[in-house]
Structures are given as structure tokens and as C-alpha cells.
Amino acid sequence: MAKIWVLREPRRGDRAWNIYSLREAARLKRWFDGVYYSPRLRRLLAVFRPTPGTHVNRLVFEEMSDSVLRDAYRMECPEGCNRCCVIHSGAFMLDVEVRQLPPELRERVLRQPSEKLVTPGGKVRVYRLDTEPMGRCIFFDVEKGRCMLEELYGKRFKPIVCLLTYCTVFATRGGKKYLKAGYRVHRDGSVEIIYREASDEEWRRMVARMGSVWRRYRRVYLAKKAEEAEEDNAKSLARR
Ligand code: SF4
Ligand code: SF4
């Protein structure tokens, strides 16, 4: 049976460790498969499939058999929601990721506020990306409703935190679509997520509902942009 590598769960209250863990995960980004929810383990699994021979840090990754994914739901982030990028995104990028960006984008990130953390694996600089109004990410294209990094350069240029963070609302399994119907907290503290199969129409409606935050933001953004263009126009006419 094939093996997969799963990122160990974050440690509550231990930011330095969690950033270290994310940095190790960022190194394996190109082999990132996806985030799954295993009903058997009652756990979200961030799955990586590095080619044999790749060094994997066992402190932050655990090896599992592919079979754990047999009944697992794959977390999805459908186009049109954008909730995580538009307000209070909390997005950030690690120094190892910034170094991989094309120069023009790298410069932009380097101008963002940052902090240096001392982690078990050494110092890591963390750059904030949530510095646009209302915590919008600097790489979010409000008009198109897309992540510029993904659109222009591909998914592996997105920050690892964006690849790993899922709301768990949307899922797929065996070619079918599912929506989260609820959750149950068990005595041992584990959380059981309950999914129900959804039709294309129910899925579309949920995307529209979740996307309402972005659409409202977009309306205000476009109105402000039009206002600014009008003001600029008026100023240049006055100068003539
Ligand atoms: S709320 Fe869920 S579907 Fe929406 S952008 Fe975030 S992860 Fe994607
Ligand atoms: S980097 Fe992309 S996916 Fe991440 S918050 Fe910014 S726009 Fe969204």
C-alpha cells in the first residue's frame, strides 16, 4: 500500500512551533495533495506525496498508509466564495516562500510589515499579507475574485497557510459533492464533521451565499474606484 505524509496537527498556544511546522511544510509544497477529513480518525489530514528519497522532517510529518483516505472527504474551495481572502484574511507568507517569488512580487512582500520568530528550526521571518482595507490580502484581485498568485504563477506560489486552511464547508468524495451539515464534539475532544451529499444546485447556492461577503466588498470597492477616477478627471480638467 502506498504511503502518504501527513502534517502533524498544530500545537495549541505554541506559535513558534506551528510556524516551524508550516515552514517545513512549505518546503514540500510542490508535493502537496490536499486536505482531507477522515471520519474514522475524526481528523483533518494535510496530505503530501513527496517522491521517494525526498527528505521529510518526521518531527512535523507522520507517515500513514494511503488507505486512511479511502473513506475520507476532500476539502474543496470553490471559485466564487473568496471569504478567506477578502476580509480579515490573516494571510501571511514565510521567508522561504518569499524567496521563491518572482522579483516584482518579492519586492512587494518585502515592503509589508514583518516579524522574526525564533522557532525550534531557527529564525523565521513572517510577512503579513493582510494589509489592505479590512484585512484583505494584497494578492486578492477584488474585481475578478481571484488569487493573483495562483492565477499568474500557479498554486504552488500561494502561501502554505492558504493551501492548508480550509473552512470544511465544501467537500467531495468519490466524484460526489458534499456540504457540511453540522459537527459533534466527542468526549475525547475530537470533532466529528457531518457531511451530506449535495446536488449541483445546492452546491451552487452555498457558493453564492458564502460569496456574498466578497460581492458586497466588490461593490464598495468599484464605487470608490469610480469616484477616485472621477476626481482625477476633474483635477486634470481644472489644470488645463
Ligand atoms: S470560506 Fe471556504 S470555500 Fe470560502 S474561500 Fe475560505 S476555504 Fe474557500
Ligand atoms: S495569497 Fe491568495 S489565497 Fe492566500 S489570502 Fe491571498 S489571495 Fe487569498
Side-chain angles (χ1 to χ4, degrees):
M1 187 60 75
K3 296 284 182 193
I4 54 171
W5 289 94
V6 173
L7 195 64
R8 294 183 194 275
E9 291 181 305
R11 291 185 186 174
R12 200 169 292 170
D14 193 347
R15 184 149 180 261
W17 176 269
N18 294 337
I19 290 290
Y20 166 61
S21 170
L22 280 179
R23 195 189 63 173
E24 294 303 292
R27 292 186 198 283
L28 300 191
K29 219 192 274 184
R30 83 175 81 153
W31 293 291
F32 175 63
D33 172 6
V35 177
Y36 294 80
Y37 171 68
S38 161
R40 240 181 313 153
L41 303 176
R42 290 197 209 116
R43 190 184 145 183
L44 284 166
L45 305 171
V47 174
F48 292 74
R49 297 177 186 270
T51 48
T54 307
H55 170 72
V56 179
N57 182 341
R58 286 175 180 268
L59 290 173
V60 301
F61 281 99
E62 54 190 308
E63 200 174 15
M64 289 187 186
S65 161
D66 210 354
S67 63
V68 292
L69 300 181
R70 214 178 285 143
D71 63 344
Y73 297 90
R74 187 185 164 91
M75 301 297 103
E76 305 289 351
C77 178
E79 204 174 296
C81 173
N82 302 318
R83 199 171 271 222
C84 293
C85 312
V86 75
I87 55 168
H88 311 304
S89 72
F92 61 84
M93 201 170 232
L94 307 175
D95 46 13
V96 282
E97 302 179 296
V98 180
R99 284 199 281 275
Q100 288 163 359
L101 289 175
E104 63 281 10
L105 294 183
R106 197 185 312 137
E107 287 311 310
R108 196 165 168 200
V109 178
L110 293 177
R111 286 197 298 271
Q112 299 301 310
S114 69
E115 63 173 322
K116 201 184 255 181
L117 287 178
V118 180
T119 76
K123 291 177 185 153
V124 179
R125 189 164 279 282
V126 181
Y127 294 86
R128 281 182 56 190
L129 303 180
D130 62 342
T131 51
E132 292 294 337
M134 293 180 79
R136 185 182 96 224
C137 172
I138 61 168
F139 290 126
F140 182 60
D141 182 329
V142 182
E143 292 185 40
K144 291 186 188 162
R146 302 242 171 88
C147 169
M148 287 183 239
L149 291 178
E150 181 169 355
E151 188 168 48
L152 298 174
Y153 302 98
K155 219 168 181 170
R156 75 184 180 88
F157 282 91
K158 282 167 78 162
I160 188 73
V161 69
C162 298
L163 295 177
L164 297 182
T165 309
Y166 277 85
C167 60
T168 68
V169 170
F170 302 94
T172 51
R173 187 170 74 172
K176 293 179 179 161
K177 293 186 171 84
Y178 291 83
L179 292 174
K180 183 153 99 179
Y183 69 93
R184 201 176 291 140
V185 182
H186 288 258
R187 277 207 187 128
D188 61 1
S190 63
V191 178
E192 180 186 350
I193 306 179
I194 301 151
Y195 283 104
R196 65 167 181 82
E197 202 182 322
S199 65
D200 288 347
E201 180 53 23
E202 286 173 311
W203 179 278
R204 199 194 54 73
R205 276 207 305 267
M206 182 58 92
V207 174
R209 202 171 111 194
M210 299 278 288
S212 62
V213 174
W214 160 57
R215 290 196 304 277
R216 264 202 311 274
Y217 190 101
R218 187 171 179 266
R219 271 200 298 278
V220 175
Y221 174 89
L222 291 177
K224 196 156 183 284
K225 215 172 141 186
E227 212 175 276
E228 281 167 5
E230 228 170 80
E231 271 172 28
D232 288 349
N233 220 2
K235 274 183 205 157
S236 63
L237 281 176
R239 264 189 240 115
R240 277 186 204 161

